[in-house]
Amino acid sequence: MAIEKRREEELDIYRPFEEMQKVIDRFFEEFPRIWPTTLSAETFVPAVDISETDKSYEFEVELPGMKKEDVNIEIDDGVLTIRGEKKEEKKEEKKGYKKIERSYGKFERSFSLPSDVDEKNITAKFENGVLNISIPKSPEAKSAKRKIEIK
């Protein structure tokens, strides 16, 4: 029995971590090119809290620094859409350095609503940078609920 030296290409199957590292390196080289341009400094996503009561669904949307005139709410075929634009205030500073961490730009959030909502009686209130949307549940949907006997 003769001892043979393994060829270089045969050794590749014994180096899975090197191959994985090549894939990861290639991903990060391509990352700036494939990253969506829609997620830039001109876009922000407002935080939304959604809760449910016995009578309604409640949406609370944080929109600091915005006015109610900058926000549009629509409902179409069971989908609630909130969109708007937070405009950047241009201030000229005489200082040599300024850092801005506020988000500006257009936003749009859409939510599929359950079938038990009463679309005709939705109300919205905007106060202190918070948008509150109340979507009542339909009384017909409540009465349609019944227990089913298992046979």
Side-chain angles (χ1 to χ4, degrees):
M1 178 168 168
I3 298 176
E4 290 183 28
K5 211 174 187 184
R6 290 187 184 213
R7 294 184 309 215
E8 192 65 33
E9 61 269 2
E10 288 177 351
L11 293 176
D12 282 346
I13 62 170
Y14 298 103
R15 298 185 202 174
F17 294 107
E18 289 179 19
E19 285 300 312
M20 189 168 60
Q21 185 64 47
K22 288 178 188 175
V23 170
I24 291 170
D25 289 343
R26 197 167 55 243
F27 171 77
F28 282 106
E29 287 170 6
E30 296 286 325
F31 189 75
R33 187 181 60 78
I34 62 174
W35 184 252
T37 57
T38 56
L39 297 177
S40 64
E42 297 89 34
T43 303
F44 79 103
V45 180
V48 178
D49 293 337
I50 304 171
S51 60
E52 179 180 5
T53 67
D54 290 339
K55 297 180 181 183
S56 66
Y57 298 97
E58 304 293 327
F59 287 71
E60 189 173 291
V61 186
E62 290 183 1
L63 300 169
M66 292 187 68
K67 300 174 187 164
K68 67 180 182 178
E69 296 82 24
D70 299 329
V71 180
N72 183 23
I73 307 166
E74 294 176 351
I75 188 158
D76 184 26
D77 200 24
V79 176
L80 175 74
T81 301
I82 306 164
R83 66 175 59 93
E85 183 174 2
K86 186 174 180 182
K87 296 178 174 85
E88 182 178 4
E89 297 174 20
K90 300 285 185 184
K91 293 183 181 177
E92 196 167 315
E93 298 279 335
K94 297 292 179 186
K95 298 177 183 178
Y97 178 78
K98 183 175 179 179
K99 182 175 182 177
I100 299 175
E101 292 187 346
R102 294 183 190 156
S103 299
Y104 297 97
K106 295 180 181 182
F107 72 90
E108 182 173 312
R109 301 282 313 260
S110 294
F111 305 91
S112 294
L113 299 175
S115 59
D116 66 344
V117 300
D118 181 2
E119 291 185 6
K120 294 178 182 165
N121 292 309
I122 296 174
T123 59
K125 181 174 77 171
F126 192 91
E127 188 175 345
N128 296 327
V130 178
L131 173 64
N132 290 293
I133 303 170
S134 181
I135 305 173
K137 294 180 180 178
S138 170
E140 294 84 29
K142 286 183 187 177
S143 64
K145 190 185 278 188
R146 65 182 178 93
K147 184 173 176 143
I148 304 205
E149 184 181 334
I150 302 172
K151 294 181 183 181

